[in-house]
Amino acid sequence: MPVLATPTFSRGLFAICPPELFCCDILCFSTCHVGRAWDPATKGEASTGINCPICIGSICCMGGCPCVVYERMKIRERYSIEGSPVKDALTTWCCMPCVLLQNHRELSIRGLPPGHCCCSPPPTPEIQVVVTQNVQPAPQTIR
């Protein structure tokens, strides 16, 4: 019987950030990203925008570090990803932008994209447009 691997994050902590502008977005507006990822990470719901109380609270509370740790713990719990609260706290403290990117990628891969703040537009769903012609039948003459 094969041994199943322990679930891990889909991308590594130091995976390169595509596109480049999104990295700037994370670095410059990290507290906004904490607020934007709050509902997808903690409640498993699609993002409806920035959670302003969390965003403002993140600014006042050590740059959002406790909120990011909590989001990461909730993501791990929801998707059964290996780790611990201590490891989450140390990882976030050492490189919070990397954790924010990893959380964002994980939520996006799992179908709950938090969206972007300023530098990158939010993903837009593909819309398929079906064009139909309004063709009227030719008039018939009666004989």
Side-chain angles (χ1 to χ4, degrees), residues 20-143:
E20 292 75 21
L21 286 178
F22 185 58
C23 290
C24 294
D25 204 36
I26 288 281
L27 290 172
C28 297
F29 306 103
S30 60
T31 57
C32 294
H33 276 281
V34 174
R36 191 172 276 288
W38 189 259
D39 288 343
T42 62
K43 300 176 185 174
E45 299 173 357
S47 179
T48 56
I50 295 175
N51 185 322
C52 290
I54 296 299
C55 180
I56 293 167
S58 294
I59 293 169
C60 300
C61 185
M62 296 171 41
C65 192
C67 295
V68 176
V69 171
Y70 184 73
E71 285 180 357
R72 186 174 177 85
M73 287 173 23
K74 295 306 280 184
I75 291 169
R76 279 191 318 91
E77 288 172 11
R78 177 169 286 107
Y79 302 116
S80 301
I81 296 173
E82 181 182 85
S84 70
V86 172
K87 186 176 178 183
D88 293 336
L90 290 173
T91 305
T92 303
W93 183 74
C94 289
C95 190
M96 189 166 72
C98 298
V99 170
L100 285 169
L101 284 166
Q102 189 178 39
N103 289 353
H104 187 279
R105 280 191 300 259
E106 194 66 32
L107 289 169
S108 297
I109 288 168
R110 308 265 185 170
L112 292 170
H116 303 282
C117 288
C118 300
C119 297
S120 300
T124 55
E126 291 184 24
I127 300 173
Q128 184 177 10
V129 178
V130 178
V131 178
T132 59
Q133 292 182 336
N134 190 4
V135 180
Q136 296 181 358
Q140 295 179 353
T141 55
I142 301 176
R143 294 188 192 187

